[in-house]
Amino acid sequence: MSSRVASRTASLASFVVRRHASTTATAPDLPSEIFKRSKHNKLGLSKVLDDVTMRSGEHDMRVFGTGTLAALTSKSAYVSFAASHYHFYSELENRLDEAHRADTPSGQVWGKFASELRRAHRLERDLEDLLGTSVGAHPPSPATSEYVAAIADAAERERGGPPLLLAHFYTRYLADLFGGSMMGWPTRRALGLADVPAFYTHDDASINEHRFEYVERVYAAINAAAVGVSDEDVAAVGEEAKLAFRCNAGVYREEGRGLSMNAALGGARVMWGYAK
């Protein structure tokens, strides 16, 4: 398969995914509309985080679409992808739980949304019940280990320092809320799974039915937690968000997930799944 054909196939599959999202979400809840209409991401720490990750043009957001589609080339590829997510979500959620007990700014935000946004237990359930394996059978990959170490380092530096875990909270959970959940049905179709992966679902009605309002609450909570935080510390959180983005991208490129040919193969499986 030529690189041009691979790119076109991956683009077509991405269109199928977006088309599916547009038929299952109201217009205000589409990712592009949420980002555009949000008021709270135009000020405070939320603006800083959006600027350094999405508005600056410094980062290539396509790596996440390519990596997600490439993970659908086979069930074993998706198992590896899901296991990597389990490991870094588990580390992040354990560290955020500690921050919540310590009543840090990061912990205060986490305390407001933890019950709805936790992902590690859902990924563990997917690996065991949907994919027939276990977390223990899949130790962290090199890129995943690097990401886990970055989260642990941020948590240590947050003690008496800037709320760096907010950068990791933002990078993962806003991505889930903005568009990650749209991959549930395409993943099920592509891999012939018995159900949509729990990773891509939320039980809370306020997320499923009023996603825009929920995202606004998250942005507002991030801004409120940063009230009184020095400009220097806000800048440090922004730099940490860049690191979190790079770590995420490393996981999404690993094991061939950064190759357009693999994304095209995964995309072809998505389209075939919808055609059946």
Side-chain angles (χ1 to χ4, degrees):
M1 183 184 296
S2 71
S3 60
R4 180 176 295 180
V5 172
S7 179
R8 288 179 177 175
T9 304
S11 296
L12 181 57
S14 295
F15 170 78
V16 171
V17 172
R18 292 194 301 272
R19 180 67 177 172
H20 172 80
S22 70
T23 61
T24 56
T26 58
D29 288 338
L30 292 173
S32 59
E33 286 300 309
I34 294 174
F35 185 73
K36 183 166 50 177
R37 292 178 61 233
S38 172
K39 295 180 180 179
H40 293 291
N41 74 347
K42 308 298 190 300
L43 48 87
L45 179 56
S46 291
K47 181 180 186 301
V48 171
L49 293 170
D50 272 6
D51 282 348
V52 300
T53 57
M54 292 192 280
R55 295 191 185 101
S56 68
E58 181 178 342
H59 304 291
D60 186 358
M61 303 299 290
R62 292 173 297 179
V63 65
F64 299 107
T66 299
T68 301
L69 285 174
L72 301 181
T73 55
S74 66
K75 189 175 289 188
S76 62
Y78 184 72
V79 165
S80 176
F81 183 72
S84 288
H85 280 65
Y86 168 81
H87 289 299
F88 63 69
Y89 270 109
S90 180
E91 179 69 21
L92 179 55
E93 289 166 8
N94 286 336
R95 295 292 185 165
L96 285 168
D97 285 340
E98 292 175 0
H100 180 53
R101 289 191 291 270
D103 197 33
T104 70
S106 299
Q108 291 164 14
V109 174
W110 180 238
K112 295 176 181 177
F113 305 104
S115 61
E116 298 97 352
L117 297 185
R118 286 185 187 276
R119 299 290 95 188
H121 71 292
R122 291 176 177 271
L123 286 155
E124 185 173 20
R125 188 196 318 165
D126 286 340
L127 287 165
E128 293 179 353
D129 298 342
L130 199 60
L131 299 165
T133 184
S134 66
V135 170
H138 305 278
S141 64
T144 304
S145 295
E146 182 178 344
Y147 190 12
V148 168
I151 293 168
D153 180 64
E156 293 301 320
R157 288 185 290 132
E158 180 166 316
R159 297 177 182 177
L164 299 177
L165 284 174
L166 277 178
H168 294 275
F169 170 89
Y170 162 90
T171 304
R172 279 312 323 170
Y173 298 107
L174 263 295
D176 295 339
L177 290 168
F178 264 111
S181 58
M182 75 171 63
M183 285 304 302
W185 270 98
T187 298
R188 180 183 181 183
R189 297 274 191 172
L191 301 178
L193 301 177
D195 204 352
V196 170
F199 171 55
Y200 292 120
T201 65
H202 294 93
D203 294 334
D204 190 276
S206 64
I207 298 178
N208 297 321
E209 299 172 12
H210 306 287
R211 190 174 299 267
F212 172 76
E213 290 81 1
Y214 191 91
V215 171
E216 279 289 81
R217 285 174 52 206
V218 174
Y219 274 133
I222 290 172
N223 289 340
V227 171
V229 174
S230 70
D231 291 345
E232 181 181 359
D233 282 354
V234 167
V237 176
E239 289 302 310
E240 189 69 21
K242 293 181 183 180
L243 173 62
F245 188 102
R246 291 194 296 271
C247 288
N248 270 274
V251 172
Y252 277 69
R253 290 191 182 101
E254 196 175 39
E255 299 177 355
R257 289 190 288 266
L259 300 176
S260 60
M261 182 175 294
N262 286 340
L265 292 173
R269 289 191 67 121
V270 171
M271 291 187 289
W272 175 245
Y274 274 97
K276 289 193 292 184

